Amino acid sequence: AQSVTQLDSQVPVFEEAPVELRCNYSSSVSVYLFWYVQYPNQGLQLLLKYLSGSTLVKGINGFEAEFNKSQTSFHLRKPSVHISDTAEYFCAVTDSGGYQKVTFGTGTKLQVIP
Amino acid sequence: GAVVSQHPSWVICKSGTSVKIECRSLDFQATTMFWYRQFPKQSLMLMATSNEGSKATYEQGVEKDKFLINHASLTLSTLTVTSAHPEDSSFYICSATHPGLWEQYFGPGTRLTVT
């Protein structure tokens, strides 16, 4: 079984400032990792994913994340945030073995302050 | 590509009635669909995994007789909340997996309010 920890429930940040949303996972097997964004009353949209290869993954809307196996982390970063980035962000993990069941973290609310 | 739709987007029903929510993959065939429930300001909780042509696999604690899932075709899965009660009020989200891709595509969600 896997688990995902997002320690920060809310992250306020000023517009055009950098941001990092933290995600740590636990698993006894190899995993795939994802970051999703959810705007109010909407479904989830995939920001980026790590399956294999380069540990630095670039996604949509200027976001990137780095997979660190030794620290079991997959932190999400953006060098300069916009008001439109205000949303809920979910880190997720799935067993790379084949089942595709995804375990989500509890989410981090990113609040961009003008 | 890889668009998933849900219908309705919101529904209000009276306690004791049943509600059906549809989840469709619009431009791909989804062998597996997932149903999630999300309470306000909380994460998604997987309710069940639905495979076309077979019975759904429910997560522990989810009442299969209350939340009926039917995956009749490769593009349609339905969730029926039977004899709904106010505590069933929630945001229900479905997702579908594209064959060969390690990614779930999410529908826009259905807001259910039971009065």
Side-chain angles (χ1 to χ4, degrees), chain A residues 7-56:
Chain A
L7 289 173
D8 305 309
S9 59
Q10 293 188 57
V11 173
V13 62
F14 286 104
E15 192 174 14
E16 297 184 3
V19 69
E20 178 180 84
L21 305 183
R22 296 181 294 168
C23 171
N24 289 88
Y25 70 92
S26 174
S27 177
S28 58
V29 298
S30 296
V31 296
Y32 295 151
L33 294 156
F34 308 83
W35 274 99
Y36 288 90
V37 60
Q38 184 181 33
Y39 298 100
N41 295 311
Q42 294 187 28
L44 273 68
Q45 180 183 9
L46 180 70
L47 279 177
L48 47 80
K49 61 187 175 186
Y50 172 79
L51 304 182
S52 65
S54 173
T55 57
L56 182 62

Side-chain angles (χ1 to χ4, degrees), chain B:
Chain B
V3 178
V4 176
S5 70
Q6 278 184 248
H7 179 79
S9 55
W10 59 271
V11 57
I12 302 173
C13 70
K14 291 186 177 181
S15 186
T17 61
S18 295
V19 175
K20 179 185 285 187
I21 302 170
E22 294 186 349
C23 176
R24 294 181 185 272
S25 56
L26 298 184
D27 50 3
F28 67 101
Q29 292 184 329
T31 51
T32 303
M33 289 184 171
F34 301 86
W35 285 96
Y36 295 87
R37 184 173 179 177
Q38 185 179 33
F39 290 103
K41 301 186 186 301
Q42 295 189 29
S43 187
L44 281 73
M45 299 298 295
L46 180 64
M47 298 175 66
T49 303
S50 170
N51 290 294
E52 186 267 338
S54 63
K55 291 183 178 181
T57 301
Y58 290 82
E59 294 299 300
Q60 192 173 9
V62 177
E63 300 176 59
K64 59 182 65 177
D65 293 330
K66 180 167 189 62
F67 298 100
L68 300 179
I69 292 172
N70 183 20
H71 196 156
S73 75
L74 287 173
T75 60
L76 174 63
S77 176
T78 60
L79 168 68
T80 301
V81 183
T82 62
S83 186
H85 292 286
E87 57 265 31
D88 298 324
S89 298
S90 191
F91 194 51
Y92 292 87
I93 303 176
C94 74
S95 71
T97 54
H98 194 295
L101 295 179
W102 285 99
E103 179 177 340
Q104 291 189 22
Y105 296 92
F106 286 84
T110 297
R111 173 76 59 191
L112 170 64
T113 301
V114 184
T115 61

Side-chain angles (χ1 to χ4, degrees), chain A residues 11-21 37 39 47 60-64 76-87 89 108-114:
Chain A
V11 173
V13 62
F14 286 104
E15 192 174 14
E16 297 184 3
V19 69
E20 178 180 84
L21 305 183
V37 60
Y39 298 100
L47 279 177
I60 63 171
N61 300 342
F63 285 94
E64 65 179 32
L76 180 71
R77 303 186 184 97
K78 186 170 183 177
S80 175
V81 296
H82 301 128
I83 293 291
S84 59
D85 293 323
T86 295
Y89 292 80
T108 298
K109 175 64 183 293
L110 174 62
Q111 182 70 44
V112 180
I113 304 166

Side-chain angles (χ1 to χ4, degrees), chain A residues 71-110:
Chain A
Q71 296 185 8
T72 61
S73 67
F74 191 55
H75 300 332
L76 180 71
R77 303 186 184 97
K78 186 170 183 177
S80 175
V81 296
H82 301 128
I83 293 291
S84 59
D85 293 323
T86 295
E88 191 86 24
Y89 292 80
F90 293 96
C91 181
V93 61
T94 187
D95 174 3
S96 63
Y99 179 43
Q100 296 185 320
K101 175 181 173 179
V102 177
T103 300
F104 287 88
T106 51
T108 298
K109 175 64 183 293
L110 174 62

